[in-house]
């Protein structure tokens, strides 16, 4: 049955709405509707197109991902060549001065002439592509190739959400847009994190990620590698009154709905070029995408035509590079570092190499799986990457340079700092030292957590004081806190006698606690407040928890094999046993009772989420009371949530509850629930 005119009108309207929302979300970063409403519109359009195939169009937003895998890419001849820009490798002011001087000579300008105006843009680190629009519709996308012939990557480019399938406003008959496909830093990191978890190869860098994505023969696979795009120039144009400057061209492209970088400006003369290069260099590492330099273009298009080309490069533009962020060097050793949470990280000790503006001698290898996946060995020649303040990393091995005696890496079985056991929990990629209360590498983090409000609640023991106590060797583990004296504390920076007395009093108060708080304060990996409370209820005493085997620990509600293994390993470590014994001798105590956990507790099995401000009691007090009655208090709303408690000024959790149909209680309802459950 043919679609009615009303149906056609609805489909067209939905496409316009969705394209508009895509532009606001992906290009302007200013979404106008919630994700759920967008999904509803998208699903309605999908349903209408499925019911009426005659209404389907390649320009529909539902068609961005799809198509059969290709056997090969079709060659595309560029009607206007995609020529490369000359690169100026002098990364200092000399590069800008030389370009300006050459432009002025070629234009025949005297020293008395006004400065040349330049359009300054970024040199994106991705893959150059050309988008061809006919009457506003995207009909073809091609790679640069050799400048004359590229490859047809239309299906893959259609998966890039920021690339409009249809232009907006008054569109030219033909418009070829030149630009760069790139992968943002965040998307690159997220993609590699997913690959590591799945045990699959990671991308070397965002540039290779962009190139590899667009050259996937299967567009479905390309869609899994999120790309973005910035327009920066023109190819063939028909039926369009072209602006007279490069800056105006980019403004016009933005008005047509194409993404254009906001990091662009027009400057006067060499001084303006130098200032732009310096300003971008300073913010380079804060940009959400990678660049390897800036681009200068003579702004007036008539002057560009006058200047013309030398061989295959325009005389009116130059790429002014920044220092390289990747270099080759040799791995001289592979050692391990112990992080503040006990994570054991392999580190490559490198033959010194200048990369990213500094001399690099060390680079992270992340974890043992990553070392094995990249097959990094001592003696290998490797590619080292450094971007800004990011820790340098080894991104690949040059296998044809591997020496015959290259040595593989083996993760140590004991911590190189404290000799405690190193374990790797099932399902995790990171190995860890379990000497959390004893290991010097973990000392500051262990003390901060131990003193935190939801743990031992030692008021006045903040981060700066912890730093001083550790750096002056006054405290080596939590038990040492209770041996501090006022005289030693008073001599510390920003303390004095009065502050020292208050801290000693806070330490004395913290000695009276609960078993749940004490277990949480020990900082055992995977053991949060809820798990600590479940252990208290199930076992009743610390001794019972410490001697329990893995199977016995798993009988505790919500304690699975990973948590049980972490608990058992922690309490088997002699260093940890010694610190716990010292804490008890110092007077840390709690009321112990027989195991009292029962599924018959009034709120056992109920899951609640708190949002907004409560008046009668604090969020922490409400959480404690609910947990004491057997309830779980979670941080996010799901279909498994039984109640959402909404106080004043609730956040998005209330909207989520209403969307999922979860029962909502106000504060009066919460108090009634607590009273009725006691």
């Amino acid at each position: 049955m043919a679609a009615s005119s009303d149906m056609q009108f609805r489909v067209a309207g939905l496409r316009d709405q969705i394209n508009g929302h895509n532009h606001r979300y992906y290009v302007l970063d200013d979404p106008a509707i919630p994700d759920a409403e967008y999904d509803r519109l998208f699903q309605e359009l999908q349903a209408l197109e499925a019911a009426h195939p005659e209404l389907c169009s390649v320009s529909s937003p539902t068609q961005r991902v799809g198509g059969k895998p290709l056997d090969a890419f079709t060659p595309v001849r560029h009607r206007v060549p995609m020529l490369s820009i000359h690169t100026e490798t002098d990364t200092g002011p000399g590069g800008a001065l030389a370009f300006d001087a050459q432009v002025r000579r070629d234009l025949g300008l005297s020293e008395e002439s006004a400065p040349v105006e330049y359009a300054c843009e970024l040199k994106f680190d991705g893959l150059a592509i050309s988008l061809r629009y006919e009457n506003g519709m995207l009909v073809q996308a091609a790679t640069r190739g050799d400048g004359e012939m590229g490859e047809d990557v239309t299906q893959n480019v259609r998966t890039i959400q920021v690339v409009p399938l249809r232009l907006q406003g008054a569109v030219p008959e033909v418009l070829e847009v030149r630009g760069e496909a790139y992968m943002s830093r965040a998307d690159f990191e997220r993609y590699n994190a997913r690959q590591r978890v799945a045990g699959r190869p990671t991308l070397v860098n965002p540039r290779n990620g962009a190139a590899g994505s667009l050259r996937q023969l299967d567009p479905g696979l390309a869609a899994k590698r999120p790309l973005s795009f910035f327009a920066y120039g023109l190819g063939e144009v028909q039926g369009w009154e072209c602006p007279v400057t490069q800056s105006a061209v980019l403004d016009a492209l933005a008005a047509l709905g194409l993404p254009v970088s906001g990091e662009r400006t027009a400057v006067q003369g060499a001084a303006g070029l130098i200032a732009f290069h310096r300003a971008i260099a300073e913010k380079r590492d804060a940009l959400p995408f990678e660049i390897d330099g800036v681009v200068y273009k003579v702004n007036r298009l008539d002057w560009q035509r006058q200047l013309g080309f030398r061989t295959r490069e325009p005389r009116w533009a130059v790429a002014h590079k920044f220092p390289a962020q990747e270099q080759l060097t040799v791995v001289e050793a592979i050692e391990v570092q112990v992080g503040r949470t006990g994570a054991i990280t392999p580190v490559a000790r490198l033959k010194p190499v200048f990369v990213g503006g500094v001399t690099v001698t060390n680079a992270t290898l992340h974890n043992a799986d990553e070392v094995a996946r990249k097959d990094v060995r001592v003696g290998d020649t490797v590619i080292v990457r450094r971007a800004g303040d990011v820790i340098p990393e080894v991104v690949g091995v040059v296998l044809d340079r591997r020496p015959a005696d290259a040595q593989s890496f083996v993760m140590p079985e004991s911590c190189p700092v404290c000799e405690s056991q190193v374990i790797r929990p099932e399902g995790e990629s990171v190995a860890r030292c379990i000497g959390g209360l004893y290991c010097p590498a973990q000392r500051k983090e262990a003390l901060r957590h131990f003193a935190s409000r939801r743990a031992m609640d030692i008021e006045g023991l903040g981060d700066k004081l912890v730093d001083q106590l550790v750096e002056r060797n006054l405290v080596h583990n939590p038990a040492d806190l209770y041996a501090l004296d006022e005289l030693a504390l008073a001599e510390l920076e920003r303390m004095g006698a009065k502050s020292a007395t208050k801290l000693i009093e806070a330490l004395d108060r913290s000695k009276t606690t609960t078993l749940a708080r004490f277990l949480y304060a020990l900082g055992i990996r995977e053991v949060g407040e809820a798990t600590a409370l479940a252990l208290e209820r199930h076992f009743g005493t610390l001794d019972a928890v410490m001697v329990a085997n893995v199977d016995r620990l798993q009988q505790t509600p919500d304690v699975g094999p990973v948590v049980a293994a972490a608990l058992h390993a922690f309490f088997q470590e002699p260093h940890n046993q010694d610190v716990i014994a010292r804490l008890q001798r110092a007077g840390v105590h709690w009321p112990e009772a027989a195991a009292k956990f029962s599924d018959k507790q009034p709120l056992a099995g109920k899951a609640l989420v708190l949002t907004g401000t409560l008046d009668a009691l604090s969020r922490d007090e409400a959480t404690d009371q609910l947990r004491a009655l057997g309830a779980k208090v979670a941080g996010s709303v799901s279909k498994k949530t039984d109640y959402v408690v909404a106080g004043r000024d609730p956040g998005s959790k209330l909207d989520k509850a209403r969307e999922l149909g979860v029962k909502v209680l106000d504060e009066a309802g919460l108090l009634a629930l607590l009273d009725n459950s006691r």
Side-chain angles (χ1 to χ4, degrees):
M1 182 177 180
S4 65
S5 58
D6 287 345
M7 191 71 69
Q8 296 175 31
F9 183 78
R10 178 58 180 163
V11 167
L14 284 169
R15 287 175 182 162
D16 285 343
Q17 287 186 69
I18 293 169
N19 283 328
H21 289 307
N22 282 343
H23 182 70
R24 291 191 64 130
Y25 184 91
Y26 293 107
V27 180
L28 303 181
D29 193 23
D30 182 28
I33 59 174
D35 290 348
E37 176 62 14
Y38 176 89
D39 292 342
R40 187 191 67 76
L41 295 173
F42 197 88
Q43 290 160 9
E44 182 184 353
L45 179 57
Q46 284 181 313
L48 290 174
E49 290 179 343
H52 300 279
E54 70 275 14
L55 296 180
C56 286
S57 167
V58 293
S59 66
S60 173
T62 63
Q63 303 302 306
R64 280 194 177 274
V65 181
K68 295 180 179 179
L70 304 174
D71 295 326
F73 292 109
T74 304
V76 173
R77 179 172 294 280
H78 299 299
R79 293 168 175 81
V80 175
M82 286 187 71
L83 303 182
S84 58
I85 296 178
H86 174 70
T87 297
E88 174 56 68
T89 55
D90 179 350
T91 59
L97 291 168
F99 174 63
D100 178 62
Q102 183 65 52
V103 167
R104 294 181 65 83
R105 282 195 299 271
D106 290 345
L107 287 172
L109 299 177
S110 66
E111 292 184 4
E112 292 76 25
S113 301
V116 175
E117 183 174 76
Y118 296 100
C120 295
E121 304 165 15
L122 304 184
K123 186 178 184 300
F124 307 107
D125 203 6
L127 181 72
I129 58 173
S130 179
L131 309 178
R132 183 177 178 84
Y133 289 89
E134 295 180 0
N135 297 312
M137 309 295 290
L138 178 65
V139 297
Q140 189 177 69
T143 62
R144 183 202 302 273
D146 63 3
E148 298 287 342
M149 296 287 293
E151 294 177 318
D152 189 325
V153 289
T154 307
Q155 287 194 61
N156 290 348
V157 167
R158 291 171 66 85
T159 70
I160 304 176
Q161 292 287 352
V162 300
V163 172
L165 303 180
R166 185 179 69 184
L167 300 179
Q168 61 190 30
V171 298
E173 294 175 19
V174 173
L175 182 68
E176 281 190 352
V177 180
R178 303 290 164 76
E180 196 93 356
Y182 68 93
M183 183 176 285
S184 72
R185 299 181 199 269
D187 285 335
F188 172 76
E189 295 298 338
R190 280 193 290 266
Y191 179 85
N192 273 356
R194 290 195 300 269
Q195 292 293 97
R196 291 188 188 102
V197 170
R200 293 192 291 264
T202 56
L203 299 174
V204 174
N205 54 43
R207 180 185 65 252
N208 290 2
S213 299
L214 287 181
R215 302 201 77 257
Q216 288 282 339
L217 292 174
D218 184 347
L221 295 176
K224 295 179 181 178
R225 296 183 179 183
L227 297 186
S228 294
F229 171 82
F230 278 132
Y232 54 63
L234 299 174
E236 182 183 14
V237 178
Q238 297 180 24
W240 194 48
E241 186 176 346
C242 187
V244 298
T245 65
Q246 169 68 13
S247 298
V249 165
L250 296 187
D251 291 340
L253 293 179
L256 289 170
L258 287 152
V260 178
S261 172
E263 298 290 345
R264 67 185 196 277
T265 190
V267 303
Q268 303 296 320
L273 299 179
I274 293 169
F276 181 78
H277 186 271
R278 182 182 298 116
I280 296 300
E282 290 175 355
K283 66 167 65 175
R284 176 188 186 185
D285 300 321
L287 294 173
F289 44 81
E290 296 206 352
I291 61 172
D292 54 2
V294 296
V295 176
Y296 310 137
K297 300 175 183 176
V298 173
N299 204 21
R300 285 175 51 174
L301 299 189
D302 61 337
W303 277 6
Q304 289 187 11
R305 290 188 288 271
Q306 179 181 334
L307 289 165
F309 299 84
R310 66 166 70 86
T311 60
R312 300 178 61 83
E313 297 175 344
R315 295 178 185 274
W316 43 266
V318 71
H320 194 180
K321 299 273 281 189
F322 291 137
Q325 293 184 301
E326 289 185 355
Q327 292 289 0
L328 292 179
T329 188
V330 175
V331 178
E332 297 183 331
I334 299 178
E335 302 172 357
V336 296
Q337 289 183 342
V338 186
R340 60 186 179 83
T341 62
I344 307 291
T345 303
V347 176
R349 305 301 183 193
L350 306 171
K351 182 178 180 180
V353 60
F354 192 75
V355 54
V358 301
T359 299
V360 170
T361 56
N362 304 315
T364 181
L365 291 168
H366 296 291
N367 54 59
D369 285 348
E370 196 74 356
V371 178
R373 187 179 297 115
K374 293 176 179 175
D375 192 20
V376 181
R377 304 180 187 181
V378 176
D380 275 341
T381 296
V382 295
I383 303 168
V384 178
R385 178 175 180 78
R386 179 187 181 275
D389 294 329
V390 176
I391 298 172
E393 68 171 332
V394 172
V395 295
V397 176
V398 183
L399 290 175
D400 59 4
R401 297 193 187 183
R402 171 169 286 167
D405 60 348
Q407 301 174 19
S408 298
F409 169 75
V410 178
M411 180 65 73
E413 295 182 356
S414 60
C415 174
V417 176
C418 72
E419 298 185 355
S420 296
Q421 182 185 359
V422 170
I423 66 168
R424 180 175 169 178
E426 184 179 352
E428 291 194 15
S429 60
V430 178
R432 297 182 184 277
C433 163
I434 62 171
L437 298 181
Y438 173 82
C439 182
Q442 304 174 62
R443 190 170 293 161
K444 289 183 180 179
E445 183 65 19
L447 291 170
R448 291 188 184 106
H449 177 76
F450 185 84
S452 63
R453 185 167 55 87
R454 301 295 293 171
M456 298 300 288
D457 192 19
I458 305 174
E459 187 177 352
L461 188 58
D463 291 352
K464 292 183 178 180
L465 182 54
V466 166
D467 290 343
Q468 289 191 74
L469 292 173
V470 171
E471 289 162 7
R472 297 196 183 194
N473 285 318
L474 295 175
V475 173
H476 299 86
N477 60 64
D480 290 338
L481 291 170
Y482 296 98
L484 291 170
D485 61 64
E486 293 186 33
L487 182 60
L489 287 171
E491 294 177 353
L492 297 178
E493 185 180 345
R494 296 182 181 177
M495 281 295 289
K498 187 174 181 180
S499 295
T501 299
K502 286 185 176 181
L503 181 58
I504 294 297
E505 291 172 350
L507 285 164
D508 286 338
R509 287 195 301 271
S510 73
K511 292 178 182 179
T512 302
T513 184
T514 66
L515 176 56
R517 279 180 172 269
F518 183 77
L519 288 170
Y520 176 61
L522 295 178
I524 306 168
R525 184 160 178 81
E526 306 292 345
V527 178
E529 293 177 68
T531 300
L533 186 60
L535 290 165
E536 179 188 65
R537 291 172 177 163
H538 191 81
F539 287 97
T541 67
L542 177 62
D543 288 344
V545 178
M546 292 182 66
V547 301
N549 59 27
V550 172
D551 291 338
R552 180 76 179 86
L553 289 165
Q554 286 189 70
Q555 294 175 19
T556 307
D558 298 327
V559 173
V562 173
V563 178
L567 280 161
H568 186 259
F570 182 90
F571 287 121
Q572 288 297 300
E573 176 58 54
H575 297 316
N576 295 334
Q577 294 174 8
D578 177 63
V579 174
I580 291 170
R582 287 186 56 205
L583 285 166
Q584 290 181 295
R585 289 197 297 271
V588 177
H589 65 282
W590 52 85
E592 292 191 346
K596 56 183 179 181
F597 186 92
S598 169
D599 287 337
K600 294 181 180 179
Q601 281 190 286
L603 296 180
K606 297 294 184 183
L608 292 91
V609 173
L610 305 178
T611 182
T613 303
L614 302 175
D615 294 320
L617 64 172
S618 69
R619 290 269 289 273
D620 286 343
E621 290 170 339
T623 298
D624 289 342
Q625 291 188 34
L626 286 166
R627 285 175 173 168
L629 294 168
K632 299 177 186 177
V633 180
S636 59
V637 182
S638 71
K639 292 181 179 179
K640 296 182 179 180
T641 304
D642 293 289
Y643 301 104
V644 167
V645 178
R648 288 184 289 103
D649 300 323
S652 60
K653 294 173 185 177
L654 178 58
D655 296 330
K656 185 70 171 179
R658 288 169 175 164
E659 180 184 327
L660 296 176
V662 175
K663 187 172 182 179
V664 177
L665 301 176
D666 58 15
E667 185 167 1
L670 169 64
L671 296 174
L673 178 67
L674 292 171
D675 289 341
N676 295 333
S677 302
R678 291 191 175 99

